[in-house]
DNA sequence: TGTACATCAGTGAACGCGCGTTCACTGATGTAC
DNA sequence: TGTACATCAGTGAACGCGCGTTCACTGATGTAC
């Protein structure tokens, strides 16, 4: 019998906590507000999470999983063409997915990014590494420029997210933002391209 | 007589608030803690700042001014050579300065970045624009790639700061971080370079 | 099948904390005549 | 030069708020015999 009082309270709490994070970022994820929303006493939450930090970590894990899922979905949409072109498109898809996810779910993204260590990002990071490898193998990307390329690509898209998400470029119209992103991805490709 | 009780309390408060921001970012900048540190009642602060937000804005302004100052100092160190090389070095200096400042004073940088709108960044942004123009004029940067180059450069260095500052790459040894930054600036140059 | 008991997931009240902000006030300074 | 008065920059107490966390408890469920 998996059910008692609320049924799976842990699941209900986590789901609601993710919603809180989505709405207001890390600061909005609190035990008391969570309990209120779930219709349960604050103490009840302590049966399922050791403290607020534990809760934040759990929300962050959900965020990372969702990002990974979104990346894979985007990656799957890349059509088969010649290897170099396919590699290029896959690299681009990853950047695009990262930015789109972060801008669609800024709060959740912020929770994930704040709570996280490098080790927690193995899955999404792996996508990037694989894509870059594919770019080299197919001859699209220069061997020499491959070294240390991950943090560079990452920095580019992450910075974009910061500037356009809650940062100083947050006011920019959607059209401009999209054009900006397209140019950013163009330049990233240029920077790695074999000449 | 510029002095009364504490002398220029506003200056003393602002100075201390900047210190608070430096130590703990936006969350650490609070009226009560500020008053405590300055040795004055919380109410006194309200004679000089309308509310906490006003205080944060003032701290942010100091942060921006310091960043600008640091950029100009770095820019001044660029030696005279042929125009294209000089332009390249100046562009690079700006990126380097941005990152160094942000990593040396992460709290203050965070306050500035959070409180700020695009209009407040006119001065530092102008440095970037000028440097890019110089790069085009001297033939180092491609005309076509000049369009929309500012947000791209900015995104790159800003993302770098986020990843290495409080983000998932925060643990990286200094050496690696420096090498990463050098590579990032290399790739930014490559991405804009006339081919 | 029935019963005693352990366990487990909740409740409700209370703790202490620090925060931003407001209030009525005081006492030093500057100013008009 | 002296004096009445306005102003100005402080004080200290209090407000209400929401937070994380702990405590002793209760009542439903699962389990051993």
């Amino acid at each position: 019998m998996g059910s008692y009082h609320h049924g799976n309270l842990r699941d209900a709490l986590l789901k609601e906590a993710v919603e809180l994070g989505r709405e207001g970022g890390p600061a909005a994820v609190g035990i008391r507000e969570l309990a209120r929303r779930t219709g349960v006493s604050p103490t009840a939450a302590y049966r399922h999470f050791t403290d607020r930090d534990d809760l934040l970590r759990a929300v962050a894990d959900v965020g990372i999983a969702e990002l990974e899922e979104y990346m894979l979905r985007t990656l799957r949409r890349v059509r088969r063409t010649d290897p170099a072109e396919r590699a290029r498109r896959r690299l681009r898809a990853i950047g695009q997915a990262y930015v789109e996810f972060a801008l669609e779910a800024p709060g959740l993204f912020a929770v994930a990014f704040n709570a996280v260590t490098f080790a927690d990002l193995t899955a999404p990071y792996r996508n990037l590494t694989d894509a870059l490898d594919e770019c080299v193998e197919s001859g699209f990307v220069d061997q020499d420029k491959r070294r240390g390329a991950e943090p560079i690509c990452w920095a580019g898209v992450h910075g974009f997210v910061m500037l356009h998400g809650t940062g100083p470029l947050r006011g920019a119209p959607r059209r401009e933002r999209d054009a900006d992103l397209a140019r950013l991805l163009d330049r990233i490709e240029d920077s790695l391209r074999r000449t």
Side-chain angles (χ1 to χ4, degrees), chain A:
Chain A
M1 291 294 134
S3 124
Y4 178 78
H5 278 196
H6 275 80
N8 291 344
L9 182 53
R10 199 198 131 95
D11 286 2
L13 286 169
L14 184 50
K15 209 174 154 194
E16 198 67 46
V18 168
E19 183 53 30
L20 282 170
R22 221 181 276 281
E23 288 170 21
V29 181
I31 299 274
R32 296 193 83 102
E33 178 62 15
L34 173 59
R36 223 171 284 131
R37 291 245 219 156
T38 316
V40 104
S41 78
T43 321
Y46 285 90
R47 294 281 164 197
H48 304 282
F49 302 96
T50 73
D51 55 15
R52 182 177 177 255
D53 234 59
D54 190 38
L55 177 63
L56 270 167
R57 291 263 346 165
V59 174
D61 287 344
V62 171
I64 295 168
E66 285 194 13
L67 169 62
E68 168 69 357
E69 199 189 341
Y70 188 72
M71 270 191 183
L72 294 181
R73 214 156 45 221
T74 309
L75 234 23
R76 245 180 271 123
R77 285 212 304 266
V78 174
R79 291 271 151 252
R80 191 172 292 280
T81 54
D82 71 284
E85 176 64 9
R86 180 166 180 271
R88 204 201 106 242
R89 289 191 194 169
R90 283 174 69 85
L91 179 60
R92 202 174 173 98
I94 287 171
Q96 190 110 22
Y98 189 88
V99 171
E100 279 171 8
F101 179 82
L103 294 180
E104 286 309 311
L108 187 54
F109 182 81
V111 174
F113 194 80
N114 276 6
V116 126
T117 169
F118 183 66
D120 300 313
L121 296 169
T122 313
Y125 195 81
R126 184 62 190 267
N127 296 334
L128 178 55
T129 293
D130 290 350
L132 284 165
D133 285 344
E134 197 184 326
C135 285
V136 173
E137 283 159 25
S138 68
F140 169 57
V141 158
D142 190 289
Q143 279 267 22
D144 286 354
K145 297 181 173 177
R146 172 66 185 85
R147 163 167 266 120
E150 285 93 342
I152 291 167
C153 296
W154 192 2
V157 292
H158 190 79
F160 186 92
V161 164
M162 294 292 104
L163 295 179
H164 277 94
T166 55
L169 263 32
R170 75 187 88 98
R174 184 74 196 240
R175 283 184 82 92
E176 274 182 39
R177 196 182 82 187
D178 290 349
D180 256 25
L181 176 55
R183 269 192 298 260
L184 170 65
L185 299 175
D186 287 346
R187 289 297 88 73
I188 289 178
E189 289 173 12
D190 288 346
S191 77
L192 298 169
R193 182 175 270 125
R194 202 153 123 191
T195 50

